[in-house]
Amino acid sequence: MRILAITPGEPAGIGPDLLLQYVSDGSLPSPDISLIAIADPAMLTARALQLGLTVDIRTLSPADNISEQIRSNATDAPPALYVWPVELNAESVPGQLDTRNAAYVLETLRTAITGCQSGQFTAMITGPVHKGIINDAGFSFSGHTEFLAQQCQVDQTVMMLATEGLRVALATTHLPLRDVADAITKTSLSRTIEILHNDLVNKFSIQEPRILVCGLNPHAGEGGHLGREEIDIISPVLTQFRQRGWQLNGPLPADTLFTNKYLADADAVLSMFHDQGLPVLKYKGFGAACNITLGLPIIRTSVDHGTALDLAGSGTADTGSLVTAINAAIQMARHQSGQPS
């Protein structure tokens, strides 16, 4: 049995709603997959009541064999949600942030990460967190990805968003535009390409990944007239990897790369900065895309949206991104084990 751990994220946001709606809709994975929430069972029970959803919250004992507990509690009468209990520090009210629950959010993440590292969980899926309230509580926290890298003792990760028919990885992430060029070095770009290529092989079973690489500047630098980063940094790095036999096409102008001429034969796109590639992906798959962290020793997927505090407890949140994140985690788990997806 493969157990996917899910952390609903900020308890005052829509993360708990999405999880409960997903389970209530009967969207549970196939028989060889089980979903376990790392959360406060009382909070989930109260939120289900507020949403008018009938979900059987089944609290498990972390001290005992989780797989055996799930098997012994199996039923043909859905919907049921298994929960690894982590208690809130204060009662959560939908839409109302509370610094007292920041430690709870981080503990759910640590529990999921530890379970994945030990092999107890096959993958983890994360709901949206609120970085501001975690920092206001006195914790240094710049985001899920950085926290995961620190906990897994990894020096570099790569953010990749995916939707049906398109994967976009980022060479840089949340930087001011004026800092992007300085952040793209031969060393950092080489490591990014290595991570992207290797995870496409190992976690997606793509034996010879075909990667399109964006230029940094308009028209990919126009032969040096619009910037030299393509000539001095990007092209030399791509040449180095092509000598290994890797299939890298670029640097290409980003304004024409995202067309069928190129995408039809590509497994992923490497974008140089956040708003170069993600607007295209979100236009193509808004509400049905997920975030995948590459470069970790574990599988981690996530929703691609925030906490939406104004929608929490209303029952109107769209589960599309969560469904995509869960399905992506399942496919990656099967690819990694050599099973067909």
Side-chain angles (χ1 to χ4, degrees):
M1 178 184 294
R2 290 174 176 79
I3 300 175
L4 309 182
I6 182 164
T7 57
E10 168 55 49
I14 61 170
D17 302 39
L18 297 175
L19 174 58
L20 291 164
Q21 289 172 220
Y22 174 84
V23 175
S24 178
D25 288 343
S27 304
L28 291 172
S30 58
D32 65 319
I33 300 288
S34 288
L35 192 66
I36 181 171
I38 314 295
D40 188 314
M43 180 270 292
L44 292 174
T45 300
R47 188 66 63 87
L49 182 63
Q50 181 173 354
L51 294 170
L53 300 176
T54 302
V55 178
D56 184 5
I57 308 295
R58 301 188 178 190
T59 304
L60 303 179
S61 171
D64 299 324
N65 185 296
I66 296 298
S67 295
E68 288 302 319
Q69 290 184 73
I70 292 175
R71 286 191 184 96
S72 64
N73 280 279
T75 177
D76 293 329
L81 175 62
Y82 299 104
V83 182
W84 179 301
V86 177
E87 289 188 9
L88 288 166
N89 295 316
E91 182 179 355
S92 178
V93 179
Q96 298 182 25
L97 296 171
D98 191 327
T99 55
R100 292 175 294 176
N101 286 326
Y104 156 85
V105 172
L106 296 180
E107 183 58 27
T108 64
L109 292 174
R110 289 191 194 96
T111 300
I113 293 167
T114 301
C116 287
Q117 290 173 321
S118 70
Q120 191 166 34
F121 306 141
T122 306
M124 63 182 288
I125 301 110
T126 57
V129 297
H130 195 288
K131 288 182 282 190
I133 200 66
I134 295 174
N135 283 284
D136 288 346
F139 299 100
S140 178
F141 183 84
S142 55
H144 267 126
T145 303
E146 294 80 4
F147 185 82
L148 282 154
Q150 180 186 46
Q151 294 292 308
C152 293
Q153 298 182 333
V154 170
D155 60 358
Q156 184 176 338
T157 58
V158 173
M159 178 187 293
M160 183 173 78
L161 272 74
T163 190
E164 183 68 29
L166 182 62
R167 302 183 185 99
V168 176
L170 303 178
T172 62
T173 52
H174 301 120
L175 291 177
L177 194 56
R178 67 172 62 248
D179 296 336
V180 169
D182 289 340
I184 299 174
T185 65
K186 287 183 179 179
T187 299
S188 68
L189 184 59
S190 295
R191 183 64 183 132
T192 296
I193 291 173
E194 284 181 338
I195 291 171
L196 173 58
H197 179 276
N198 291 339
D199 272 12
L200 288 173
V201 172
N202 297 322
K203 293 180 179 177
F204 291 86
S205 295
I206 302 171
Q207 295 309 308
E208 296 183 357
R210 298 160 299 178
I211 301 171
L212 303 179
V213 181
C214 296
L216 172 65
N217 298 295
H219 301 176
E222 196 77 68
H225 295 286
L226 295 176
R228 291 194 54 85
E229 285 80 7
E230 288 78 11
I231 295 172
D232 296 338
I233 298 172
I234 302 174
S235 289
V237 169
L238 299 187
T239 297
Q240 167 193 335
F241 285 110
R242 289 191 191 107
Q243 290 171 353
R244 297 188 192 180
W246 291 11
Q247 299 187 54
L248 299 164
N249 188 358
L252 297 168
D255 63 346
T256 54
L257 179 154
F258 290 98
T259 58
N260 288 335
K261 172 185 175 181
Y262 294 105
L263 293 178
D265 294 319
D267 296 302
V269 174
L270 177 58
S271 173
M272 291 297 111
F273 57 94
H274 187 281
D275 281 14
Q276 183 183 58
L278 296 194
V280 180
L281 183 134
K282 293 195 175 185
Y283 176 77
K284 176 178 174 60
F286 191 74
C290 71
N291 186 350
I292 301 169
T293 305
L294 306 179
L296 295 173
I298 63 176
I299 295 171
R300 180 261 177 160
T301 67
S302 178
V303 296
D304 72 340
H305 56 72
T307 53
L309 297 170
D310 57 323
L311 298 180
S314 69
T316 60
D318 187 342
T319 61
S321 183
L322 177 64
V323 172
T324 304
I326 292 172
N327 289 340
I330 294 171
Q331 291 173 3
M332 291 170 69
R334 289 177 174 162
H335 285 312
Q336 200 168 47
S337 67
Q339 278 192 337
S341 61

